[in-house]
Amino acid sequence: MINELLQEQIEYYQQRAPEYDEWFYRIGRYDRGAKHNQRWFDEVKVVQEALNELGTGHEILELACGTGIWTQKLLALGKTITAIDVSAKSISLNKRKVKSPKVKYQTQDLFEWEPDREYDLVVIAFWLSHVPPQKFDEFLDKVAKSVRSGGRLFIVDSRFHATATAKNHDYKNNDKIYQLRKLNNGDTFKVIKIYHSTEYIARKLSKLGFQTNANMTDRYFIYAVGEKL
Ligand code: SAM
């Protein structure tokens, strides 16, 4: 059951790749009007500032890099960036957007990924909420192994709010670990979506030896910086 759900999630993101950025840039079904959109972008800025505080010159690993919204932001911080995603379409859009020899891409399923080295900074944007509970600890354990001692882990993800998603998405998940998501053409997929609290993230990272500062923006995002002790 869980493996079928994960395959459906992969297929959804593969097909959604060309329209993925509409969510982040509040376009089409994600345009919730000037006031909500402005609030969204103001909160993105808060997260971006927290990321920028991590400084420059890092060897970065970006997990589930997608179409490059965050890869692009990481260019200023990274000496090198290793960017992993399962979706070949997303990676091709990422390359087109980012256009940098600093970035090395790997097309890979993160549930089969094994860390083979340590990085100064590992970044996970809008992915942990798509990791099923059954696989969460095992995945986070591998993430922890990929951060060097004294290195940092940066996480940003969704807080629950009705106006965060598309106008035609049913956001009530009734205790299920998945929600139904639509593409612009109306095709519907089950996608895992779990809204984690900052306390939960901090507790999990603490068990893995991270000192964590986890925060929320007013409405839309949680974000956390963990330093590996
Ligand atoms: N980090 C990007 C961002 O914030 O714009 C993308 C986030 S998007 C919500 C989730 C990403 O996870 C998609 O790019 C999708 O292709 C990728 N993904 C889905 N299942 C995956 C898997 N099993 N292994 C690796 N990546 C996966």
Side-chain angles (χ1 to χ4, degrees):
M1 160 71 187
I2 198 65
N3 288 336
E4 278 168 30
L5 199 47
L6 286 170
Q7 279 314 309
E8 189 164 337
Q9 173 159 275
I10 288 173
E11 188 53 32
Y12 167 70
Y13 278 111
Q14 177 76 350
Q15 291 197 31
R16 189 179 158 205
E19 59 194 65
Y20 179 82
D21 289 13
E22 294 171 13
W23 159 73
F24 193 76
Y25 297 114
R26 309 273 93 190
I27 293 165
R29 294 180 291 139
Y30 302 92
D31 177 355
R32 298 305 196 118
K35 209 171 103 207
H36 288 309
N37 294 348
Q38 190 55 51
R39 187 193 274 256
W40 173 276
F41 292 121
D42 288 347
E43 295 189 19
V44 168
K45 197 164 160 233
V46 171
V47 177
Q48 165 99 55
E49 281 167 5
L51 181 63
N52 289 348
E53 275 174 23
L54 301 180
T56 59
H58 303 298
E59 305 256 5
I60 299 178
L61 172 65
E62 187 189 8
L63 298 173
C65 61
T67 58
I69 292 167
W70 292 86
T71 320
Q72 201 172 39
K73 297 178 191 302
L74 291 171
L75 282 180
L77 279 66
K79 189 162 69 182
T80 65
I81 302 170
T82 302
I84 305 181
D85 200 285
V86 76
S87 159
K89 265 194 209 161
S90 297
I91 287 191
S92 125
L93 290 162
N94 188 317
K95 280 184 189 159
R96 207 186 300 165
K97 184 184 283 151
V98 170
K99 290 191 195 76
S100 172
K102 276 188 194 179
V103 188
K104 301 282 175 259
Y105 294 91
Q106 291 177 22
T107 309
Q108 205 181 348
D109 185 335
L110 282 172
F111 297 111
E112 283 162 19
W113 163 72
E114 290 296 336
D116 57 357
R117 54 159 289 190
E118 294 180 333
Y119 293 83
D120 303 320
L121 175 61
V122 176
V123 176
I124 310 178
F126 301 96
W127 167 245
L128 283 187
S129 55
H130 297 297
V131 175
Q134 302 86 321
K135 294 193 179 265
F136 197 84
D137 287 348
E138 188 191 342
F139 177 70
L140 215 53
D141 198 45
K142 290 198 278 185
V143 171
K145 287 196 177 99
S146 68
V147 182
R148 71 162 168 79
S149 175
R152 265 91 50 93
L153 170 62
F154 186 88
I155 293 166
V156 55
D157 219 308
S158 317
R159 262 187 93 174
F160 171 76
H161 195 277
T163 62
T165 190
K167 290 171 195 163
N168 63 348
H169 283 159
D170 180 2
Y171 54 83
K172 298 180 199 71
N173 68 353
N174 302 321
D175 298 331
K176 295 195 177 71
I177 64 163
Y178 64 85
Q179 295 187 351
L180 295 178
R181 292 289 167 86
K182 288 188 174 72
L183 297 174
N184 286 341
N185 67 9
D187 287 357
T188 303
F189 294 80
K190 287 194 192 102
V191 173
I192 294 158
K193 189 72 185 175
I194 299 159
Y195 296 95
H196 297 300
S197 68
T198 49
E199 292 80 11
Y200 180 80
I201 296 290
R203 202 169 54 243
K204 287 284 181 191
L205 292 183
S206 166
K207 282 193 187 146
L208 291 166
F210 287 81
Q211 188 174 315
T212 305
N213 185 4
N215 292 287
M216 291 182 280
T217 59
D218 287 344
R219 185 183 275 188
Y220 292 121
F221 310 119
I222 62 163
Y223 60 103
V225 178
E227 179 173 355
K228 192 168 174 182
L229 300 174

